[in-house]
Amino acid sequence: MSTLSPIQLLPHHIVQLIVKYLASSNLPLFGGVPEGDTKHMELLLPFLRVCHNFRSVVYSGYCKNLELEFYGGDRVLTSWRPWPCRYRESDHAAYHLAREVHVKVDSLAVFNGQAHGFLLRAPFSDCPFPLARTLRFSFSLWQLDYAKRVLDALDPAELRANISAFVGRVKQMAPKVNEIRQELVMQLGHPPDIVKKYFGSLVTQLYQLASRVDLRYYQSLAHMELQLHEIRDLVHINSRNYDEKLGYLARLNASTLQYLTTTFNRGEDFAGVIRNESGDYVQYPHLHTLKLITCVIPVDMRLPIFPGAVPFPTLRHIALDGEYPLGDETIFRGNAATLEFLSLMIPPEKLVLLRERRVFSPTSHPKLRYVRILQPADDTQDDIDMLVANKDFVLGIGPNAALREVTNIPFCTDLPRMLSPNRDRSCLQYLLLYGTSLDLSQVIMLLDEIPLLTDLHCGSRGLGLHIAEQPLEDFANFMSSKQGKFGKRFRCWHFDCLVACSEREVTLCVLYLALACPNFNHVAPNGNNDDSFKQEMDLLIDSEDLLKPYALRLRRIAFSSDI
């Protein structure tokens, strides 16, 4: 009769903590691991040989993304990302845990039936990926002339049967898949018509398996003869490039589409999404997320307008990056009652356009909670013009009691009242003050006026003249007496620069805030040495008797740029 080792009797949650701690304190056990980061994964390999309990924790935590490579013949390569090497020992034992499967396969192996054959062999037989929700295919196609000769030699009926068999087997292997990503890695040049025909048939059938298609890895739909009319009921389209086929695909699925992101090269491209061949406007009744990236549009180019069009009546999330592609407010028309998230990285003059057209007002968007006005990628923009435009735009939205996050606006003493109708009704939790540095008294004022504020992002001017002139003991006692009376939710201060103050002054600011704000525990000094602030804080606590009673609380403050 065998006896269990004490390590095999450890509770499952204790094993989870051990693996998490030893693998890395900053890589969550059931979260994502940065792509290509393998140094911490080396520590996991020995756990696979401890016992079943340890293996199950490692598998369930880190066996999420599986790669399969098949380029013909009998050799199939498998690897878990981001494992440091091709881990092959019993790796099929975790196949059932894979959430994303990346299949790298030679296109000709699909057309001649070899790929279907390898998917029928163990360990891929039956249903190896029952939990996989995303399938990514990388089809390679080299020597285009040779590929044409091979396809010409195959019987068309056999070709179609091989493609259908491959797609059918994929469906059996991952029955719950709802997202398809695909890319074609091919020789430079224009593919022959027969290649475009059958590759288009393959991709069309794959897209029919899912309700979400991701085209970010594909440069142009022109390389495929897709039967677009057969791709129906999509809810999600994510594309890096725009062409007429993408516009048609979006319109074809307008009645079901919920998410659309693409890149425009010119304003007229937008017409392909909202106007059909007859010139009639198309409406997307269920689209809740629209993300548009627009390339630079010449200043003298006339932007299209679409009077009366209401293409997106239920949008909740709008993100515009680059140029605003239109000459009117078509994108925002009809969705004032549903819009919750607004992210704009557009030039100041486009913000002025939206403001002048009164697209937003304090009462127009009752559900708007997040307003992110970001710095355009064009560094030639004048910061002053941008700040003025940002401020005028955001303040034109407020006061709005629903706002929870506002970014990239300058500070003014009336800011809290401009953003929220009154202190007790404010929902604001995150505030980013671009190009602004505050002293401690201004930070205290914001925390007092915005009681739910959890994160503040701004520069630091230190203590400020008024506070700096007070004896340290008096102000420390004053802040301690305010504990729980303001800043109850405040937890993190991000500051990106120091203006006319030292690290010691900023550290004192942090210590004073910690005395008054019970949940304040993190400082993110962007571009500064985290260790130097920590050393300065320890020095102050050890040298100032009045701070020693609070030492345990104060030492819990973490200085780190990583949140």
Side-chain angles (χ1 to χ4, degrees), residues 249-270:
L249 185 63
R251 298 197 307 271
L252 194 67
N253 291 274
S255 62
T256 58
L257 204 60
Q258 300 176 18
Y259 179 104
L260 175 63
T261 178
T262 187
T263 298
F264 289 151
N265 295 316
R266 51 185 186 156
E268 286 76 7
D269 291 341
F270 190 76

Side-chain angles (χ1 to χ4, degrees), residues 228-427:
L228 293 177
H229 61 279
E230 297 181 7
I231 305 176
R232 299 278 187 166
D233 301 324
L234 294 181
V235 299
H236 181 118
I237 298 178
N238 192 350
S239 173
R240 180 182 294 171
N241 297 287
Y242 177 84
D243 61 26
E244 292 181 0
K245 288 186 177 181
L246 180 65
Y248 176 71
L249 185 63
R251 298 197 307 271
L252 194 67
N253 291 274
S255 62
T256 58
L257 204 60
Q258 300 176 18
Y259 179 104
L260 175 63
T261 178
T262 187
T263 298
F264 289 151
N265 295 316
R266 51 185 186 156
E268 286 76 7
D269 291 341
F270 190 76
V273 174
I274 68 167
R275 183 180 282 163
N276 60 25
E277 295 88 342
S278 303
D280 299 324
Y281 290 132
V282 176
Q283 190 171 88
Y284 295 75
H286 302 294
L287 192 73
H288 58 69
T289 300
L290 178 67
K291 296 183 179 181
L292 302 180
I293 302 174
T294 308
C295 299
V296 176
I297 299 176
V299 177
D300 57 348
M301 180 177 288
R302 185 175 180 180
L303 297 177
I305 61 174
F306 303 96
V310 186
F312 314 118
T314 59
L315 275 181
R316 300 198 303 265
H317 184 134
I318 296 177
L320 305 179
D321 183 352
E323 293 282 346
Y324 182 67
L326 307 180
D328 64 7
E329 69 282 6
T330 299
I331 291 175
F332 302 95
R333 199 175 288 143
N335 47 55
T338 59
L339 189 62
E340 299 176 12
F341 182 102
L342 178 65
S343 176
L344 301 177
M345 188 183 291
I346 59 178
E349 60 269 19
K350 302 301 182 181
L351 290 176
V352 173
L353 168 69
L354 296 177
R355 184 168 179 266
E356 289 177 346
R357 288 182 171 270
R358 301 184 183 278
V359 176
F360 294 91
S361 71
T363 58
S364 62
H365 294 74
K367 293 185 177 181
L368 187 60
R369 289 168 171 78
Y370 305 96
V371 179
R372 295 179 180 175
I373 312 297
L374 306 174
Q375 172 74 45
D378 182 6
D379 293 333
T380 62
Q381 295 291 340
D382 190 302
D383 280 353
I384 300 300
D385 290 344
M386 184 193 71
L387 282 175
V388 171
N390 291 0
K391 177 183 175 182
D392 291 345
F393 180 80
V394 173
L395 296 184
I397 295 175
N400 186 334
L403 283 178
R404 294 183 183 177
E405 177 180 319
V406 178
T407 66
N408 272 23
I409 59 173
F411 174 80
C412 63
T413 55
D414 292 332
L415 184 63
R417 286 177 290 280
M418 293 178 177
L419 295 176
S420 186
N422 62 61
R423 181 184 184 279
D424 295 333
R425 292 180 58 195
S426 174
C427 292

Side-chain angles (χ1 to χ4, degrees), residues 473-541:
E473 182 176 4
D474 290 350
F475 194 71
N477 291 334
F478 170 74
M479 292 298 287
S480 180
S481 68
K482 292 290 185 180
Q483 184 173 11
K485 297 181 180 178
F486 72 91
K488 292 181 181 179
R489 303 284 188 91
F490 186 58
R491 67 175 187 85
C492 185
W493 181 20
H494 314 245
F495 59 83
D496 50 12
C497 62
L498 307 181
V499 178
C501 66
S502 63
E503 288 183 357
R504 183 180 187 277
E505 257 196 273
V506 175
T507 307
L508 274 174
C509 292
V510 171
L511 293 176
Y512 285 151
L513 287 175
L515 293 176
C517 305
N519 293 306
F520 178 46
N521 57 19
H522 205 123
V523 181
N526 184 30
N528 294 281
N529 188 335
D530 302 342
D531 291 337
S532 64
F533 284 103
K534 186 68 175 175
Q535 292 169 3
E536 188 68 45
M537 183 178 70
D538 290 339
L539 184 63
L540 279 168
I541 294 173

Side-chain angles (χ1 to χ4, degrees), residues 151-177:
L151 293 177
D152 284 335
L154 288 172
D155 180 68
E158 181 183 357
L159 260 172
R160 290 191 293 271
N162 289 339
I163 291 173
S164 298
F166 177 81
V167 175
R169 181 68 193 117
V170 167
K171 185 176 181 179
Q172 292 172 352
M173 293 172 62
K176 291 187 178 181
V177 66

